[in-house]
PDB file of all heavy atoms in Angstrom:
ATOM      1  N   PRO B1444      46.973 158.019  54.902  1.00 95.00           N
ATOM      2  CA  PRO B1444      46.898 159.455  55.161  1.00 95.00           C
ATOM      3  C   PRO B1444      46.946 160.271  53.863  1.00 95.00           C
ATOM      4  O   PRO B1444      46.917 161.491  53.913  1.00 95.00           O
ATOM      5  CB  PRO B1444      48.168 159.706  55.981  1.00 95.00           C
ATOM      6  CG  PRO B1444      49.164 158.742  55.406  1.00 95.00           C
ATOM      7  CD  PRO B1444      48.379 157.543  54.929  1.00 95.00           C
ATOM      8  N   LEU B1446      44.838 160.152  51.338  1.00 94.00           N
ATOM      9  CA  LEU B1446      43.502 160.414  50.800  1.00 94.00           C
ATOM     10  C   LEU B1446      43.355 159.995  49.350  1.00 94.00           C
ATOM     11  O   LEU B1446      42.577 160.588  48.603  1.00 94.00           O
ATOM     12  CB  LEU B1446      43.118 161.893  50.980  1.00 94.00           C
ATOM     13  CG  LEU B1446      43.036 162.357  52.444  1.00 94.00           C
ATOM     14  CD1 LEU B1446      42.844 163.857  52.514  1.00 94.00           C
ATOM     15  CD2 LEU B1446      41.912 161.646  53.180  1.00 94.00           C
ATOM     16  N   ILE B1643      32.882 162.371  66.425  1.00 98.00           N
ATOM     17  CA  ILE B1643      33.506 161.093  66.068  1.00 98.00           C
ATOM     18  C   ILE B1643      34.036 160.486  67.362  1.00 98.00           C
ATOM     19  O   ILE B1643      34.851 161.101  68.060  1.00 98.00           O
ATOM     20  CB  ILE B1643      34.638 161.288  65.051  1.00 98.00           C
ATOM     21  CG1 ILE B1643      34.092 161.977  63.786  1.00 98.00           C
ATOM     22  CG2 ILE B1643      35.276 159.949  64.692  1.00 98.00           C
ATOM     23  CD1 ILE B1643      35.171 162.439  62.829  1.00 98.00           C
ATOM     24  N   CYS B1663      42.138 155.465  64.928  1.00 97.00           N
ATOM     25  CA  CYS B1663      42.617 156.842  65.073  1.00 97.00           C
ATOM     26  C   CYS B1663      42.712 157.481  63.699  1.00 97.00           C
ATOM     27  O   CYS B1663      42.196 158.579  63.462  1.00 97.00           O
ATOM     28  CB  CYS B1663      44.006 156.863  65.722  1.00 97.00           C
ATOM     29  SG  CYS B1663      43.954 156.683  67.494  1.00 97.00           S
ATOM     30  N   MET B1664      43.368 156.765  62.799  1.00 97.00           N
ATOM     31  CA  MET B1664      43.598 157.334  61.477  1.00 97.00           C
ATOM     32  C   MET B1664      42.316 157.433  60.669  1.00 97.00           C
ATOM     33  O   MET B1664      42.088 158.417  59.961  1.00 97.00           O
ATOM     34  CB  MET B1664      44.637 156.498  60.735  1.00 97.00           C
ATOM     35  CG  MET B1664      46.032 156.695  61.257  1.00 97.00           C
ATOM     36  SD  MET B1664      46.579 158.414  61.197  1.00 97.00           S
ATOM     37  CE  MET B1664      46.719 158.674  59.455  1.00 97.00           C
ATOM     38  N   SER B1665      41.442 156.429  60.748  1.00 97.00           N
ATOM     39  CA  SER B1665      40.209 156.549  59.958  1.00 97.00           C
ATOM     40  C   SER B1665      39.315 157.641  60.539  1.00 97.00           C
ATOM     41  O   SER B1665      38.630 158.342  59.804  1.00 97.00           O
ATOM     42  CB  SER B1665      39.484 155.198  59.819  1.00 97.00           C
ATOM     43  OG  SER B1665      39.168 154.682  61.059  1.00 97.00           O
ATOM     44  N   SER B1666      39.374 157.849  61.853  1.00 97.00           N
ATOM     45  CA  SER B1666      38.594 158.937  62.448  1.00 97.00           C
ATOM     46  C   SER B1666      39.099 160.293  61.969  1.00 97.00           C
ATOM     47  O   SER B1666      38.311 161.212  61.710  1.00 97.00           O
ATOM     48  CB  SER B1666      38.663 158.870  63.968  1.00 97.00           C
ATOM     49  OG  SER B1666      38.106 157.674  64.438  1.00 97.00           O
ATOM     50  N   LEU B1667      40.420 160.429  61.857  1.00 97.00           N
ATOM     51  CA  LEU B1667      40.990 161.682  61.333  1.00 97.00           C
ATOM     52  C   LEU B1667      40.536 161.893  59.889  1.00 97.00           C
ATOM     53  O   LEU B1667      40.199 163.001  59.470  1.00 97.00           O
ATOM     54  CB  LEU B1667      42.520 161.634  61.400  1.00 97.00           C
ATOM     55  CG  LEU B1667      43.146 161.678  62.798  1.00 97.00           C
ATOM     56  CD1 LEU B1667      44.638 161.439  62.724  1.00 97.00           C
ATOM     57  CD2 LEU B1667      42.854 163.010  63.468  1.00 97.00           C
ATOM     58  N   LYS B1668      40.522 160.779  59.144  1.00 97.00           N
ATOM     59  CA  LYS B1668      40.071 160.847  57.748  1.00 97.00           C
ATOM     60  C   LYS B1668      38.606 161.281  57.693  1.00 97.00           C
ATOM     61  O   LYS B1668      38.237 162.153  56.892  1.00 97.00           O
ATOM     62  CB  LYS B1668      40.252 159.470  57.107  1.00 97.00           C
ATOM     63  CG  LYS B1668      39.737 159.349  55.700  1.00 97.00           C
ATOM     64  CD  LYS B1668      39.879 157.921  55.194  1.00 97.00           C
ATOM     65  CE  LYS B1668      38.810 157.003  55.770  1.00 97.00           C
ATOM     66  NZ  LYS B1668      38.943 155.614  55.296  1.00 97.00           N
ATOM     67  N   PHE B1669      37.780 160.712  58.576  1.00 97.00           N
ATOM     68  CA  PHE B1669      36.355 161.088  58.606  1.00 97.00           C
ATOM     69  C   PHE B1669      36.223 162.588  58.908  1.00 97.00           C
ATOM     70  O   PHE B1669      35.414 163.294  58.298  1.00 97.00           O
ATOM     71  CB  PHE B1669      35.583 160.309  59.675  1.00 97.00           C
ATOM     72  CG  PHE B1669      35.531 158.819  59.451  1.00 97.00           C
ATOM     73  CD1 PHE B1669      35.229 157.953  60.501  1.00 97.00           C
ATOM     74  CD2 PHE B1669      35.742 158.275  58.194  1.00 97.00           C
ATOM     75  CE1 PHE B1669      35.180 156.586  60.307  1.00 97.00           C
ATOM     76  CE2 PHE B1669      35.692 156.900  57.991  1.00 97.00           C
ATOM     77  CZ  PHE B1669      35.411 156.059  59.054  1.00 97.00           C
ATOM     78  N   ALA B1670      37.033 163.057  59.881  1.00 98.00           N
ATOM     79  CA  ALA B1670      36.969 164.473  60.262  1.00 98.00           C
ATOM     80  C   ALA B1670      37.245 165.341  59.039  1.00 98.00           C
ATOM     81  O   ALA B1670      36.524 166.306  58.758  1.00 98.00           O
ATOM     82  CB  ALA B1670      37.984 164.754  61.372  1.00 98.00           C
ATOM     83  N   HIS B1671      38.267 164.953  58.288  1.00 97.00           N
ATOM     84  CA  HIS B1671      38.623 165.717  57.093  1.00 97.00           C
ATOM     85  C   HIS B1671      37.478 165.701  56.079  1.00 97.00           C
ATOM     86  O   HIS B1671      37.092 166.745  55.544  1.00 97.00           O
ATOM     87  CB  HIS B1671      39.885 165.130  56.470  1.00 97.00           C
ATOM     88  CG  HIS B1671      40.198 165.704  55.123  1.00 97.00           C
ATOM     89  ND1 HIS B1671      40.911 166.866  54.967  1.00 97.00           N
ATOM     90  CD2 HIS B1671      39.855 165.294  53.871  1.00 97.00           C
ATOM     91  CE1 HIS B1671      41.005 167.147  53.678  1.00 97.00           C
ATOM     92  NE2 HIS B1671      40.374 166.203  52.981  1.00 97.00           N
ATOM     93  N   LEU B1672      36.928 164.521  55.839  1.00 97.00           N
ATOM     94  CA  LEU B1672      35.883 164.399  54.817  1.00 97.00           C
ATOM     95  C   LEU B1672      34.630 165.181  55.210  1.00 97.00           C
ATOM     96  O   LEU B1672      33.998 165.824  54.374  1.00 97.00           O
ATOM     97  CB  LEU B1672      35.534 162.915  54.587  1.00 97.00           C
ATOM     98  CG  LEU B1672      36.654 162.083  53.940  1.00 97.00           C
ATOM     99  CD1 LEU B1672      36.284 160.607  53.940  1.00 97.00           C
ATOM    100  CD2 LEU B1672      36.927 162.558  52.512  1.00 97.00           C
ATOM    101  N   MET B1674      34.467 167.838  57.191  1.00 97.00           N
ATOM    102  CA  MET B1674      34.724 169.278  57.085  1.00 97.00           C
ATOM    103  C   MET B1674      34.782 169.705  55.624  1.00 97.00           C
ATOM    104  O   MET B1674      34.247 170.747  55.243  1.00 97.00           O
ATOM    105  CB  MET B1674      36.041 169.634  57.807  1.00 97.00           C
ATOM    106  CG  MET B1674      35.932 169.461  59.318  1.00 97.00           C
ATOM    107  SD  MET B1674      37.372 170.048  60.233  1.00 97.00           S
ATOM    108  CE  MET B1674      38.623 168.894  59.745  1.00 97.00           C
ATOM    109  N   VAL B1681      33.548 169.615  63.700  1.00 98.00           N
ATOM    110  CA  VAL B1681      33.813 168.213  64.051  1.00 98.00           C
ATOM    111  C   VAL B1681      34.477 168.119  65.417  1.00 98.00           C
ATOM    112  O   VAL B1681      35.429 168.840  65.702  1.00 98.00           O
ATOM    113  CB  VAL B1681      34.720 167.550  62.991  1.00 98.00           C
ATOM    114  CG1 VAL B1681      35.094 166.134  63.418  1.00 98.00           C
ATOM    115  CG2 VAL B1681      34.037 167.513  61.640  1.00 98.00           C
ATOM    116  N   ASN B1683      36.326 165.303  67.868  1.00 98.00           N
ATOM    117  CA  ASN B1683      36.881 163.951  68.020  1.00 98.00           C
ATOM    118  C   ASN B1683      37.000 163.646  69.500  1.00 98.00           C
ATOM    119  O   ASN B1683      37.670 164.380  70.230  1.00 98.00           O
ATOM    120  CB  ASN B1683      38.274 163.863  67.399  1.00 98.00           C
ATOM    121  CG  ASN B1683      38.215 163.585  65.917  1.00 98.00           C
ATOM    122  OD1 ASN B1683      38.237 162.436  65.486  1.00 98.00           O
ATOM    123  ND2 ASN B1683      38.107 164.640  65.136  1.00 98.00           N
ATOM    124  N   MET B1688      45.791 159.422  71.122  1.00 96.00           N
ATOM    125  CA  MET B1688      45.969 159.407  69.675  1.00 96.00           C
ATOM    126  C   MET B1688      47.180 158.539  69.366  1.00 96.00           C
ATOM    127  O   MET B1688      48.228 158.683  69.987  1.00 96.00           O
ATOM    128  CB  MET B1688      46.192 160.834  69.147  1.00 96.00           C
ATOM    129  CG  MET B1688      44.939 161.687  69.140  1.00 96.00           C
ATOM    130  SD  MET B1688      43.543 160.982  68.230  1.00 96.00           S
ATOM    131  CE  MET B1688      44.187 160.969  66.562  1.00 96.00           C
ATOM    132  N   TYR B1695      51.611 159.579  59.318  1.00 97.00           N
ATOM    133  CA  TYR B1695      50.369 159.605  60.093  1.00 97.00           C
ATOM    134  C   TYR B1695      50.324 160.807  61.037  1.00 97.00           C
ATOM    135  O   TYR B1695      49.312 161.490  61.159  1.00 97.00           O
ATOM    136  CB  TYR B1695      50.196 158.309  60.893  1.00 97.00           C
ATOM    137  CG  TYR B1695      49.869 157.079  60.062  1.00 97.00           C
ATOM    138  CD1 TYR B1695      49.953 157.093  58.676  1.00 97.00           C
ATOM    139  CD2 TYR B1695      49.465 155.899  60.674  1.00 97.00           C
ATOM    140  CE1 TYR B1695      49.661 155.963  57.928  1.00 97.00           C
ATOM    141  CE2 TYR B1695      49.159 154.766  59.933  1.00 97.00           C
ATOM    142  CZ  TYR B1695      49.264 154.803  58.568  1.00 97.00           C
ATOM    143  OH  TYR B1695      48.964 153.696  57.833  1.00 97.00           O
ATOM    144  N   GLU B1696      51.447 161.048  61.732  1.00 97.00           N
ATOM    145  CA  GLU B1696      51.495 162.172  62.670  1.00 97.00           C
ATOM    146  C   GLU B1696      51.256 163.489  61.910  1.00 97.00           C
ATOM    147  O   GLU B1696      50.513 164.359  62.366  1.00 97.00           O
ATOM    148  CB  GLU B1696      52.867 162.183  63.378  1.00 97.00           C
ATOM    149  CG  GLU B1696      53.053 163.268  64.422  1.00 97.00           C
ATOM    150  CD  GLU B1696      52.233 163.040  65.687  1.00 97.00           C
ATOM    151  OE1 GLU B1696      51.766 161.911  65.932  1.00 97.00           O
ATOM    152  OE2 GLU B1696      52.041 164.031  66.427  1.00 97.00           O
ATOM    153  N   GLU B1697      51.841 163.574  60.717  1.00 97.00           N
ATOM    154  CA  GLU B1697      51.678 164.768  59.895  1.00 97.00           C
ATOM    155  C   GLU B1697      50.204 164.951  59.535  1.00 97.00           C
ATOM    156  O   GLU B1697      49.683 166.073  59.514  1.00 97.00           O
ATOM    157  CB  GLU B1697      52.513 164.662  58.620  1.00 97.00           C
ATOM    158  CG  GLU B1697      54.023 164.709  58.842  1.00 97.00           C
ATOM    159  CD  GLU B1697      54.630 163.361  59.231  1.00 97.00           C
ATOM    160  OE1 GLU B1697      53.885 162.441  59.619  1.00 97.00           O
ATOM    161  OE2 GLU B1697      55.866 163.227  59.163  1.00 97.00           O
ATOM    162  N   PHE B1698      49.528 163.846  59.249  1.00 97.00           N
ATOM    163  CA  PHE B1698      48.113 163.903  58.910  1.00 97.00           C
ATOM    164  C   PHE B1698      47.294 164.401  60.096  1.00 97.00           C
ATOM    165  O   PHE B1698      46.378 165.218  59.960  1.00 97.00           O
ATOM    166  CB  PHE B1698      47.644 162.510  58.469  1.00 97.00           C
ATOM    167  CG  PHE B1698      46.253 162.474  57.896  1.00 97.00           C
ATOM    168  CD1 PHE B1698      45.966 163.062  56.668  1.00 97.00           C
ATOM    169  CD2 PHE B1698      45.214 161.841  58.583  1.00 97.00           C
ATOM    170  CE1 PHE B1698      44.685 163.015  56.138  1.00 97.00           C
ATOM    171  CE2 PHE B1698      43.937 161.798  58.050  1.00 97.00           C
ATOM    172  CZ  PHE B1698      43.671 162.387  56.829  1.00 97.00           C
ATOM    173  N   TYR B1699      47.659 163.931  61.282  1.00 97.00           N
ATOM    174  CA  TYR B1699      46.987 164.352  62.519  1.00 97.00           C
ATOM    175  C   TYR B1699      47.108 165.873  62.677  1.00 97.00           C
ATOM    176  O   TYR B1699      46.118 166.570  62.927  1.00 97.00           O
ATOM    177  CB  TYR B1699      47.640 163.587  63.681  1.00 97.00           C
ATOM    178  CG  TYR B1699      47.201 163.938  65.085  1.00 97.00           C
ATOM    179  CD1 TYR B1699      45.913 164.393  65.361  1.00 97.00           C
ATOM    180  CD2 TYR B1699      48.081 163.760  66.151  1.00 97.00           C
ATOM    181  CE1 TYR B1699      45.536 164.679  66.669  1.00 97.00           C
ATOM    182  CE2 TYR B1699      47.711 164.033  67.451  1.00 97.00           C
ATOM    183  CZ  TYR B1699      46.440 164.513  67.708  1.00 97.00           C
ATOM    184  OH  TYR B1699      46.071 164.788  68.990  1.00 97.00           O
ATOM    185  N   HIS B1700      48.317 166.388  62.464  1.00 97.00           N
ATOM    186  CA  HIS B1700      48.517 167.833  62.580  1.00 97.00           C
ATOM    187  C   HIS B1700      47.714 168.592  61.527  1.00 97.00           C
ATOM    188  O   HIS B1700      47.134 169.635  61.811  1.00 97.00           O
ATOM    189  CB  HIS B1700      50.012 168.161  62.480  1.00 97.00           C
ATOM    190  CG  HIS B1700      50.736 167.885  63.759  1.00 97.00           C
ATOM    191  ND1 HIS B1700      50.921 168.826  64.733  1.00 97.00           N
ATOM    192  CD2 HIS B1700      51.267 166.733  64.247  1.00 97.00           C
ATOM    193  CE1 HIS B1700      51.562 168.281  65.758  1.00 97.00           C
ATOM    194  NE2 HIS B1700      51.770 167.006  65.487  1.00 97.00           N
ATOM    195  N   ARG B1701      47.669 168.014  60.337  1.00 97.00           N
ATOM    196  CA  ARG B1701      46.912 168.662  59.270  1.00 97.00           C
ATOM    197  C   ARG B1701      45.440 168.796  59.659  1.00 97.00           C
ATOM    198  O   ARG B1701      44.823 169.846  59.477  1.00 97.00           O
ATOM    199  CB  ARG B1701      47.056 167.824  57.990  1.00 97.00           C
ATOM    200  CG  ARG B1701      46.190 168.302  56.860  1.00 97.00           C
ATOM    201  CD  ARG B1701      46.400 167.441  55.630  1.00 97.00           C
ATOM    202  NE  ARG B1701      45.334 167.701  54.666  1.00 97.00           N
ATOM    203  CZ  ARG B1701      45.159 166.999  53.572  1.00 97.00           C
ATOM    204  NH1 ARG B1701      45.974 165.998  53.274  1.00 97.00           N
ATOM    205  NH2 ARG B1701      44.174 167.280  52.746  1.00 97.00           N
ATOM    206  N   ILE B1702      44.874 167.726  60.236  1.00 97.00           N
ATOM    207  CA  ILE B1702      43.451 167.758  60.592  1.00 97.00           C
ATOM    208  C   ILE B1702      43.212 168.757  61.729  1.00 97.00           C
ATOM    209  O   ILE B1702      42.206 169.467  61.755  1.00 97.00           O
ATOM    210  CB  ILE B1702      42.958 166.341  61.003  1.00 97.00           C
ATOM    211  CG1 ILE B1702      43.252 165.326  59.902  1.00 97.00           C
ATOM    212  CG2 ILE B1702      41.473 166.353  61.351  1.00 97.00           C
ATOM    213  CD1 ILE B1702      42.750 165.686  58.525  1.00 97.00           C
ATOM    214  N   MET B1703      44.184 168.832  62.662  1.00 97.00           N
ATOM    215  CA  MET B1703      44.037 169.829  63.737  1.00 97.00           C
ATOM    216  C   MET B1703      44.059 171.237  63.144  1.00 97.00           C
ATOM    217  O   MET B1703      43.267 172.095  63.521  1.00 97.00           O
ATOM    218  CB  MET B1703      45.163 169.670  64.764  1.00 97.00           C
ATOM    219  CG  MET B1703      44.949 168.489  65.689  1.00 97.00           C
ATOM    220  SD  MET B1703      45.963 168.536  67.177  1.00 97.00           S
ATOM    221  CE  MET B1703      47.553 168.074  66.546  1.00 97.00           C
ATOM    222  N   GLU B1704      44.981 171.451  62.174  1.00 97.00           N
ATOM    223  CA  GLU B1704      45.060 172.778  61.552  1.00 97.00           C
ATOM    224  C   GLU B1704      43.814 173.088  60.732  1.00 97.00           C
ATOM    225  O   GLU B1704      43.424 174.253  60.601  1.00 97.00           O
ATOM    226  CB  GLU B1704      46.317 172.871  60.672  1.00 97.00           C
ATOM    227  CG  GLU B1704      47.565 173.174  61.490  1.00 97.00           C
ATOM    228  CD  GLU B1704      48.844 172.738  60.789  1.00 97.00           C
ATOM    229  OE1 GLU B1704      48.823 172.596  59.549  1.00 97.00           O
ATOM    230  OE2 GLU B1704      49.852 172.541  61.490  1.00 97.00           O
ATOM    231  N   GLU B1705      43.182 172.043  60.220  1.00 97.00           N
ATOM    232  CA  GLU B1705      41.944 172.267  59.456  1.00 97.00           C
ATOM    233  C   GLU B1705      40.783 172.656  60.373  1.00 97.00           C
ATOM    234  O   GLU B1705      39.718 173.005  59.895  1.00 97.00           O
ATOM    235  CB  GLU B1705      41.581 171.000  58.671  1.00 97.00           C
ATOM    236  CG  GLU B1705      42.430 170.828  57.422  1.00 97.00           C
ATOM    237  CD  GLU B1705      42.158 169.517  56.689  1.00 97.00           C
ATOM    238  OE1 GLU B1705      41.269 168.745  57.126  1.00 97.00           O
ATOM    239  OE2 GLU B1705      42.821 169.265  55.688  1.00 97.00           O
ATOM    240  N   GLY B1706      40.979 172.532  61.676  1.00 96.00           N
ATOM    241  CA  GLY B1706      39.984 173.075  62.598  1.00 96.00           C
ATOM    242  C   GLY B1706      39.160 172.052  63.354  1.00 96.00           C
ATOM    243  O   GLY B1706      38.206 172.415  64.045  1.00 96.00           O
ATOM    244  N   ALA B1707      39.512 170.763  63.268  1.00 97.00           N
ATOM    245  CA  ALA B1707      38.767 169.779  64.055  1.00 97.00           C
ATOM    246  C   ALA B1707      39.101 169.962  65.537  1.00 97.00           C
ATOM    247  O   ALA B1707      40.223 170.326  65.884  1.00 97.00           O
ATOM    248  CB  ALA B1707      39.141 168.371  63.614  1.00 97.00           C
ATOM    249  N   THR B1708      38.098 169.744  66.395  1.00 97.00           N
ATOM    250  CA  THR B1708      38.307 169.869  67.832  1.00 97.00           C
ATOM    251  C   THR B1708      38.553 168.476  68.411  1.00 97.00           C
ATOM    252  O   THR B1708      37.870 167.514  68.055  1.00 97.00           O
ATOM    253  CB  THR B1708      37.063 170.484  68.496  1.00 97.00           C
ATOM    254  OG1 THR B1708      36.831 171.755  67.886  1.00 97.00           O
ATOM    255  CG2 THR B1708      37.254 170.655  69.989  1.00 97.00           C
ATOM    256  N   PHE B1709      39.543 168.371  69.282  1.00 97.00           N
ATOM    257  CA  PHE B1709      39.866 167.091  69.905  1.00 97.00           C
ATOM    258  C   PHE B1709      39.591 167.167  71.399  1.00 97.00           C
ATOM    259  O   PHE B1709      40.112 168.047  72.081  1.00 97.00           O
ATOM    260  CB  PHE B1709      41.333 166.723  69.645  1.00 97.00           C
ATOM    261  CG  PHE B1709      41.568 166.322  68.219  1.00 97.00           C
ATOM    262  CD1 PHE B1709      41.706 167.287  67.238  1.00 97.00           C
ATOM    263  CD2 PHE B1709      41.610 164.979  67.862  1.00 97.00           C
ATOM    264  CE1 PHE B1709      41.896 166.924  65.913  1.00 97.00           C
ATOM    265  CE2 PHE B1709      41.798 164.608  66.551  1.00 97.00           C
ATOM    266  CZ  PHE B1709      41.941 165.581  65.562  1.00 97.00           C
TER     267      PHE B1709
END
Side-chain angles (χ1 to χ4, degrees):
Chain B
L1446 298 172
I1643 302 170
C1663 280
M1664 287 302 291
S1665 58
S1666 298
L1667 291 172
K1668 176 184 77 180
F1669 296 161
H1671 171 86
L1672 292 172
M1674 292 187 292
V1681 175
N1683 275 269
M1688 286 305 295
Y1695 289 11
E1696 182 71 18
E1697 292 83 344
F1698 189 69
Y1699 175 30
H1700 282 268
R1701 173 179 166 188
I1702 305 307
M1703 283 197 284
E1704 279 157 22
E1705 283 175 2
T1708 302
F1709 288 80

